[in-house]
Each structure stands twice: as C-alpha cells, then as structure tokens.
Amino acid sequence: MARSWWPAAGVFAAALALLSFGVGRAGIASGWVDPVARIAAQDEALYSHTALAMARQGDWLTPRFLGRLALYKPPALYWFSGLSVKLFGPSRVALRLPSLVAGALIAMLIFVWTRRPAAAALFVLNPLAHTLARLNLTDMLLTFWIVGAVAA
C-alpha cells in the first residue's frame, strides 16, 4: 500500500508558513547571517541585482552584475529568483521565494526521511536555517541538494 503524501504536504505548507512570516519587511542585504560574529548578508544585493537584470533583460545564459560577467557562482539561484520575479513581479518576497521554497522542501525531506514531525520542526526552528531561508543566498539551495542526496 502506498504511503499518503498528505502529511508531507502538510509539513511543507507549515514550514513555508513559518519560514516566510514577515519575509518582505527586511530590506535587501540589511540583515545578519550571523549576528554574533557580525557577518552581514551583503551578497544578497549582488544576487538580487543579477536576478533582476536577468528577468528584465532576458539574458538567462550569462549572469551579469553592473554590466560585467558574474560567473563566480552556479547560476541556479539567479535563474530561480529571476523566474520568480518574472512570475510575481519585482519584490523582496519574489527574490527570496526560491530560498523559502528550498527551506520548506528541506523540512519536508527530513520528515519523509525520518517520519518524525519533530525532526522537521528542529530544522525549521533552527535560527541559522530560519535566517538563511529568508535571504536570497545560495545556502538554502545547496543545503536542499545535499539533504536530497542524503535522503536518496
């Protein structure tokens, strides 16, 4: 008998709601990735500018920042953020949506893998995971691919 996918969908929806609460209030690159070590989220401005330029100009194959080639990171975040901006319009929420979805998918994968809601809750309530899922940074996408590979 096949397992029901409803509990996993519920965990995804709950994680997405918890992670996205108030995500549009903070300015781009205004927060701290680590407030203790004072590590700022300055890369968010760079990634957001690149994604906005892709969505505006339609040059999806060559990421650019201020007219120069931006080939220093894998372009998946730019593509997903640019597509989100194309679909929902330019906003902080649209730019951060790929990280939010990746964070919720991580929580869902943890639940599917362990069958324990508490394990998914531990991830969602982790301050670092909560912070990184709410910023337009590559960390949540990388974490999603790692957790997906481990779960597989």
Side-chain angles (χ1 to χ4, degrees):
M1 183 169 156
R3 291 185 190 171
S4 175
W5 56 273
W6 286 103
V11 168
F12 174 81
L16 189 63
L18 285 171
L19 292 173
S20 64
F21 183 74
V23 72
R25 282 188 242 145
I28 296 291
S30 66
W32 299 101
V33 173
D34 183 0
V36 176
R38 305 295 252 185
I39 298 172
Q42 74 245 11
D43 289 348
E44 185 180 25
L46 187 136
Y47 301 153
S48 298
H49 179 276
T50 304
L52 287 167
M54 280 184 161
R56 189 178 329 110
Q57 297 166 356
D59 188 7
W60 294 95
L61 294 180
T62 310
R64 297 183 185 276
F65 178 71
L66 298 176
R68 294 184 173 170
L69 295 178
L71 303 174
Y72 36 79
K73 292 280 184 172
L77 179 68
Y78 310 139
W79 291 336
F80 294 146
S81 294
L83 182 62
S84 178
V85 165
K86 209 58 160 159
L87 291 173
F88 303 114
S91 70
R92 290 175 282 203
V93 175
L95 285 166
R96 294 171 176 162
L97 189 61
S99 292
L100 286 170
V101 170
L105 285 171
I106 292 167
M108 185 186 75
L109 280 174
I110 291 171
F111 171 73
V112 167
W113 186 25
T114 63
R115 284 292 167 195
R116 299 183 191 282
L122 282 174
F123 171 76
V124 171
L125 298 175
N126 179 314
L128 185 59
H130 192 263
T131 299
L132 292 175
R134 298 162 55 88
L135 296 171
N136 187 24
L137 296 173
T138 58
D139 300 278
M140 272 298 111
L141 289 177
L142 175 63
T143 306
F144 167 70
W145 294 116
I146 291 170
V147 170
V150 170

